[in-house]
Amino acid sequence: MSFSWFISVDDHLIEPARLWQERLPQRWRDTGPRIVREGKSEFWVYEDRQIVTTGLNAVAGKSREEFSPEPITYEDMRPGCYEPADRVADMNQGHVLSSMLFPSFPRYCGQVFHEAKDKELGLLCVQAWNDFILEEFAQAYPGRFIPMMIIPLWDPKAAAAEVERTAALGGKSIAFSENPTKLGLPSIHNGHWDPLFQACNDTGYVVSMHVGSSSNLIRTSEDMPTLAFMAYSAAANQAGTLLDWLFSGNFVKFPDLKIALSEGSIGWIPYFLERAEQVVDKQRFWASRFDIDMNASHERGEQKGSASFDLDTDIRRLFKDHVFGTFIEDQAGIRLLDIIGEDNVMLECDYPHSDSTWPDTIQLATKWLDHLPADVQHKIAVGNASRVYNFTPADASTITA
């Protein structure tokens, strides 16, 4: 094996109880997010909501037999879940050179603040989360954290301003929704998000879309068994996101824009790229003139709309230049690496969630990657993340594992 450290482009922060109580202006602290304790129970209170931390979000250090979705308290968690210094110690133990953190209480792209009634307070909460990441993680531990920001989803211009503000402070990415329409927001197809995408294009920010960031993981039915749902939903959601973006025209409009499909795995990508090419080849002429409802009943009088589609769209080139997949464990994807592209995949360990490979990621990665050339192993473990996020990781030789 030619690497002993790796960059994890998808980890998670359980926000410490102090975050908004320390960082919101004093007059907002009684109404901002705060932890309340009732007996043995502990939960966040924000506006009229009470939000618990599920046990599956903080299993680091526990055996699989101990995993549970039941609500937990900070006393039940490993301190690395929420405290910066303890997180760095756990990263050292797991040979995580650098980490990118998605939020927990606000959900994967800050949906809780979008859903809030008071948008003035919501914006302050977004900025407080971002400043916490920038100051207490990225700046306090140089090279150990790729600063990913959340945005005010309800206002693309304010979101663009937050991108510009945080980029000046060292930010590298935003958390965005894999499908904003499921959050009651406009799609990526109608220009609504152009101010935000332009800001990301201009600053080099990567649009990172975590599976589940639409608050709507796909199910075949309401009673789909939990394990079947968990095996199905990640790839199903992210496949839709990939195709949505490839056919959106946004990569032509914003030529430097990059997106990451966070915790979506990669083994499914070759099929959907091939399928996209097939439909372009066979269906492009009529599809360049009409948008139709493929679930329609074909009854007489049904309306047809108009569509605009570039007949020369190069699916593979768009993917290569703009899209990056991430994986925790995906041996099928590694076997298909020649189709996906060695420059378009990145490793993650998902600390402290129940899918995580921490602290054994390096040992497991040996089994998956050891047959690859040394330079390809380095790309997947460190190089691609450094390049895609324009980030300089810490010097591993200065870290004691």
Side-chain angles (χ1 to χ4, degrees):
M1 188 174 65
S2 61
F3 68 95
S4 55
W5 291 84
F6 73 101
I7 294 176
S8 177
V9 294
D10 167 38
D11 293 317
H12 299 266
L13 170 69
I14 304 296
E15 291 78 14
R18 62 186 175 86
L19 194 158
W20 287 281
Q21 292 303 297
E22 289 181 354
R23 291 182 171 271
L24 285 176
Q26 186 67 47
R27 71 186 185 94
W28 293 104
R29 293 181 185 177
D30 289 341
T31 51
R34 58 206 181 278
I35 286 288
V36 171
R37 183 98 183 197
E38 287 185 359
K40 295 182 179 181
S41 299
E42 191 175 80
F43 49 87
W44 289 96
V45 173
Y46 179 48
E47 292 194 333
D48 57 355
R49 306 177 69 174
Q50 296 181 357
I51 300 173
V52 300
T53 299
T54 174
L56 294 178
N57 283 355
V59 305
K62 298 180 180 180
S63 68
R64 294 176 183 179
E65 291 77 11
E66 295 175 290
F67 291 3
S68 172
E70 295 177 332
I72 58 172
T73 68
Y74 288 99
E75 294 173 355
D76 301 321
M77 303 177 207
R78 191 178 181 92
C81 294
Y82 55 90
E83 284 297 346
D86 294 288
R87 172 60 65 92
V88 172
D90 282 355
M91 289 166 61
N92 294 348
Q93 181 182 340
H95 288 255
V96 183
L97 182 60
S98 308
S99 172
M100 193 170 77
L101 305 177
F102 282 86
S104 294
F105 162 73
R107 304 210 303 277
Y108 293 135
C109 64
Q111 297 102 301
V112 164
F113 300 130
H114 163 61
E115 294 160 353
K117 300 179 181 69
D118 190 329
K119 292 301 192 287
E120 181 182 1
L121 174 57
L123 178 58
L124 292 172
C125 288
V126 165
Q127 293 173 332
W129 195 94
N130 291 341
D131 289 342
F132 180 74
I133 295 295
L134 288 164
E135 295 169 12
E136 298 201 33
F137 284 93
Q139 294 169 13
Y141 302 95
R144 302 306 303 274
F145 294 96
I146 303 173
M148 189 198 65
M149 309 286 92
I150 58 176
I151 56 172
L153 290 163
W154 57 92
D155 186 339
K157 291 182 179 179
E162 185 64 4
V163 165
E164 292 162 357
R165 181 186 80 87
T166 55
L169 299 172
K172 298 296 183 182
S173 179
I174 58 162
F176 189 65
S177 176
E178 63 193 350
N179 184 353
T181 68
K182 297 300 182 180
L183 304 179
L185 292 164
S187 77
I188 63 170
H189 302 294
N190 57 19
H192 174 83
W193 298 102
D194 282 5
L196 173 63
F197 296 159
Q198 186 68 61
C200 291
N201 181 87
D202 296 345
T203 60
Y205 263 45
V206 179
V207 179
S208 298
M209 292 172 283
H210 196 285
V211 65
S213 56
S214 60
S215 301
N216 185 70
L217 287 170
I218 297 172
R219 297 175 181 266
T220 59
S221 62
E222 287 300 317
D223 56 353
M224 186 182 194
T226 297
L227 294 180
F229 162 67
M230 294 183 73
Y232 169 71
S233 59
N237 271 60
Q238 294 283 43
T241 300
L242 170 63
L243 295 171
D244 225 15
W245 276 86
L246 289 177
F247 288 99
S248 69
N250 285 318
F251 295 139
V252 176
K253 189 184 295 187
F254 307 106
D256 295 323
L257 192 62
K258 299 187 292 291
I259 68 170
L261 304 175
S262 304
E263 203 176 324
S265 294
I266 60 174
W268 53 270
I269 290 174
Y271 167 76
F272 283 98
L273 292 179
E274 181 178 312
R275 178 59 179 159
E277 289 182 316
Q278 290 170 355
V279 298
V280 169
D281 178 49
K282 297 175 182 177
Q283 317 290 347
R284 58 182 172 167
F285 296 105
W286 71 260
S288 68
R289 302 189 307 274
F290 300 102
D291 266 330
I292 67 170
D293 181 357
M294 298 303 290
N295 293 315
S297 62
H298 304 295
E299 293 184 22
R300 187 178 180 186
E302 188 175 302
Q303 294 293 317
K304 292 183 179 181
S306 62
S308 177
F309 178 69
D310 183 358
L311 298 181
D312 296 319
T313 295
D314 185 338
I315 294 295
R316 302 278 173 171
R317 172 54 59 181
L318 287 179
F319 178 84
K320 180 177 176 57
D321 291 347
H322 299 278
V323 184
F324 302 89
T326 77
F327 70 98
I328 305 171
E329 298 180 76
D330 195 336
Q331 296 179 56
I334 295 301
R335 289 197 292 271
L336 296 168
L337 192 62
D338 61 325
I339 302 174
I340 303 167
E342 63 191 44
D343 296 319
N344 291 77
V345 299
M346 300 178 286
L347 188 58
E348 57 180 286
C349 75
D350 199 33
Y351 178 108
H353 284 188
S354 58
D355 264 339
S356 180
T357 53
W358 181 90
D360 302 318
T361 310
I362 289 292
Q363 292 82 355
L364 291 168
T366 302
K367 302 175 184 178
W368 314 325
L369 305 178
D370 203 33
H371 66 286
L372 298 172
D375 64 322
V376 177
Q377 291 187 48
H378 180 265
K379 284 181 180 181
I380 296 171
V382 175
N384 289 343
S386 300
R387 173 179 53 85
V388 171
Y389 290 98
N390 189 26
F391 174 78
T392 302
D395 182 352
S397 68
T398 65
I399 302 171
T400 302

